[in-house]
Structure formats: C-alpha cells, structure tokens
Amino acid sequence: MTYSRITGTGSYLPENVLTNKDLEKIVDTSDQWIQERTGIKKRHIAVDGQATSDLAEVASKNAMEAAGRTADDIDLIVVATTTPDKIFPSTACLLQRRLGIHGCAAFDVQAVCTGFVYAMGVADQFIRNGTARCALVVGAETISRLLDWNDRSTCVLFGDGAGAVILESSDEPGILSTHLHADGAYEDLLHVPGGLGNGLEDLAVEMRGNEVFRMAVNTLGRIVDETLDANGMQKSDVDWLVPHQANIRIIQATARKLGMDMDHVVVTVDEHGNTSAASVPLALDTAVRDGRIQRGETLLLEAFGGGFTWGSVLLKY
Ligand code: COA
C-alpha cells in the first residue's frame, strides 16, 4: 500500500509585526479585549511589494531543505491561497518559477482557511494513485490585503504568513485519511463581497463573528468524530491536535471535544493571528522544529473557513 508521508516542513512569517497595542492606535479596541476574546497578541503584515508568492517561496525552501529535496525532485505543487499575487498565472506557477522547477503540475486550491487541509487532501490522492511521488504543498496568504482597517470586528483577527510541507510516497503510513466538506449556503456569514463578478471595489472581509464562531465549534466537533470513526480510532489515539489558528476559544472547544489536554494542542495563534490557509502548516512546522512532534506520532489537522469549508487530515508523522 502506498501512503503519502510528510518528509519536511517549513514556514515563514513576514518581519513586519503589528501588535495589539499598535492596533489600539488604529481602531477602538484594546490589547485586553483582543487577548481575552481571541488569544491573539500580534500578527505579521506583509510590506508593500511583498506578495503571497514571496512568503510561499521562503516556506517552501525551508520545507525542501528539511526534507533533503531539491527542485529536481518535486513533481507536484499545490498552493492553498485566497490571496493570489495575480488573477493568473496561479501562485503555484509563480512559485514554481521562483523555485526553478519546470514541467510538473502546479495549481492553486481556494478553500479560504481550510485551504491547506484541502491541498493535502488533493496531493494525497495524486501520491496514492501513483501520479506524483514528491509533492510540495503550501498554504500562503497575504490576507491583510483583504481587511478594512476601520472595522475592529475583523482587522484585529488576521495576519500574513506561509507554511509548507513536502509529501512523499512511502510504504509506511503516512496520511491515514482526509475528510473535506463544504456548504455554500453560508456565504453571507463570512465573505469578501468584491470580485470580477461584483466589481473590485468591495475587497474586504465581512464576517458575522458570533454566528461563525458557533458554526466553527459545532462543525469541528463533528469532524473530530467523523475522522476517528473512519479510522476506527479512539480520542486517546491522537497524540497531537494541530488546529486552524483562528481563535483560542475555538481551539479549546475542539480540544475539549477530543478530551485532550492543551499540552497536546499546538497553539500559535498568539504569535500570528488567523493566517487563513497558512495557519495549519505554520503550527505544524513550529511544533516539528521545536521537537514537540516526534516521528511515529498521530496528528489530527483540522480547519474551518469561508464557504463554509471544513476538513481534517489524520496522519502518522
Ligand atoms: N475590540 C473591542 N471590542 C470589540 C472588538 C474589538 N476588536 N470587536 C468587537 N467588539 C465588541 C462588539 O462591538 C460587541 O460590542 P457590543 O456588545 O457593545 O455590541 C462586543 O465586542 C462583543 O462582540 P461579539 O461579536 O459578541 O464578541 P465575540 O465574543 O463573539 O468575539 C470574535 C468576536 C470575532 C472574536 C468571535 O466572534 C470570533 O472569533 N468569531 C469567529 C471568527 C473566526 O474565527 N473567523 C474565521 C473563521 S476561519
């Protein structure tokens, strides 16, 4: 049996930092409110001229180095992003060129905050059916470009960043299962109204935060059950929860659902806020590099985002 296995991880956060205190000068908010309601202390914001592909390039190089792989080895590139550099070419193609890779399939996946989980699900299919052997899977965003800096209910929540993994075919597990879902009925609860269909004026995130919060908690609870049931596993079989980093209270609710101590939950939301598709690989890379996540351990990656979209990846690291 062929599995896809993570052989290297990488990430990158732009150097420019915006703290909660900085935000106090921009909108009517406070460091205390942001920390208590979200767990966020700061976020990293791409500077002018720094695009999603710039962040993706550094994260990808870090992941390739960790895996001991070069440009010649990569035979698939999947980039999860909602904030592409251009309408086209895809950010995956722009990244491919930067990395000096030629000829392999390269495309973007757009599932907002669930993007990286979707990208892993897609790359896993390519590897398990033998179409690819060494995939670069990236989540990268400059979501700050889609914020209304006068709207305190959204601008304090998000930040920019990128994370990447190298996924290779292996006889050893590997990704055990992926579960991807969407329901477009909830478009109005979390969206950016502008686009080529509606005109490019209204390009800022609009969110009904309270309703999104409730949906996220309930839906992520369900995906935990679905994932464990599909694998015949118990909650106690999971060593690490690597959740989407949107809000510490949503993360805590999922951990409670798993009966998991917060010591086994990777939390990085305090450091970078909600980086959309970048958040899961950023958290994963952090806990791999600091030595918390060890080879052979079982990881549950999960995310929820605009669409709504939601999903999970259960894997042996
Ligand atoms: N600073 C200070 N006060 C703020 C604020 C801010 N940045 N943003 C909102 N408030 C105020 C509101 O205006 C409201 O005031 P009111 O009671 O006078 O009307 C009060 O705080 C409570 O607002 P509410 O929206 O009920 O707070 P909340 O506890 O639901 O927290 C979120 C708000 C956005 C943090 C929370 O709803 C959330 O995290 N939602 C999910 C967001 C998310 O994860 N989205 C992405 C999914 S991928």
Side-chain angles (χ1 to χ4, degrees):
M1 178 142 174
T2 303
Y3 293 96
S4 29
R5 205 162 154 261
I6 294 175
T7 55
T9 66
S11 62
Y12 176 67
L13 289 166
E15 277 156 31
N16 177 37
V17 169
L18 189 68
T19 65
N20 293 348
K21 284 274 173 213
D22 295 331
L23 277 166
E24 287 178 0
K25 295 175 204 141
I26 301 173
V27 283
D28 180 15
T29 191
S30 69
D31 176 38
Q32 189 188 353
W33 189 96
I34 299 171
Q35 286 209 45
E36 280 178 8
R37 306 310 294 164
T38 73
I40 299 166
K41 292 182 180 154
K42 60 182 181 187
R43 67 288 293 140
H44 297 245
I45 305 292
V47 293
D48 285 351
Q50 208 173 20
T52 295
S53 64
D54 293 302
L55 315 189
E57 181 182 356
V58 184
S60 300
K61 285 179 173 165
N62 288 340
M64 287 163 68
E65 191 184 348
R69 291 298 178 194
T70 65
D72 292 340
D73 298 314
I74 306 295
D75 59 7
L76 173 69
I77 301 173
V78 188
V79 175
T81 189
T82 309
T83 47
D85 294 25
K86 299 180 171 186
I87 302 286
F88 73 85
S90 67
T91 305
C93 287
L94 301 176
L95 176 65
Q96 185 189 40
R97 177 181 175 178
R98 299 276 193 88
L99 295 173
I101 299 171
H102 302 276
C104 75
F107 56 89
D108 289 0
V109 165
Q110 209 272 48
V112 203
C113 298
T114 318
F116 182 75
V117 167
Y118 264 63
M120 289 286 272
V122 171
D124 180 46
Q125 299 294 335
F126 272 74
I127 288 176
R128 280 197 295 123
N129 76 18
T131 310
R133 296 190 56 81
C134 184
L136 169 63
V137 186
V138 184
E141 301 275 20
T142 45
I143 207 90
S144 65
R145 307 253 155 81
L146 292 179
L147 295 177
D148 174 355
W149 291 97
N150 298 310
D151 178 4
R152 67 176 184 173
S153 70
T154 52
C155 75
V156 305
L157 302 175
F158 296 92
D160 302 333
V165 302
I166 300 296
L167 210 53
E168 295 192 50
S169 70
S170 165
D171 296 335
E172 286 171 50
I175 290 181
L176 302 174
S177 73
T178 62
H179 302 265
L180 309 181
H181 296 284
D183 191 342
Y186 298 96
E187 173 191 353
D188 290 346
L189 295 192
L190 176 56
H191 68 139
V192 173
L196 294 177
N198 299 346
L200 289 170
E201 292 79 38
D202 212 356
L203 286 182
V205 173
E206 288 182 8
M207 180 171 69
R208 305 222 301 256
N210 241 306
E211 287 157 84
V212 174
F213 186 94
R214 277 198 303 275
M215 284 290 295
V217 168
N218 291 334
T219 308
L220 290 171
R222 283 205 311 278
I223 199 99
V224 166
D225 287 338
E226 180 188 348
T227 307
L228 294 178
D229 287 352
N231 290 277
M233 281 192 176
Q234 309 293 315
K235 293 172 181 175
S236 55
D237 294 327
V238 179
D239 296 305
W240 290 99
L241 176 64
V242 187
H244 172 45
Q245 309 286 320
N247 184 314
I248 188 67
R249 294 182 294 139
I250 299 176
I251 296 172
Q252 285 163 341
T254 311
R256 273 198 298 278
K257 172 80 190 175
L258 265 172
M260 188 172 256
D261 197 278
M262 285 303 286
D263 287 351
H264 283 260
V265 181
V266 182
V267 176
T268 53
V269 67
D270 51 324
E271 289 294 314
H272 52 63
N274 183 348
T275 55
S276 185
S279 101
V280 171
L282 267 166
L284 177 65
D285 184 50
T286 301
V288 165
R289 283 179 190 261
D290 69 20
R292 274 179 289 170
I293 291 178
Q294 295 288 319
R295 283 282 168 207
E297 290 185 317
T298 302
L299 277 49
L300 176 60
L301 282 47
E302 48 82 346
F304 177 90
F308 287 140
T309 54
W310 63 99
S312 70
V313 181
L314 188 76
L315 63 90
K316 284 250 180 254
Y317 178 68

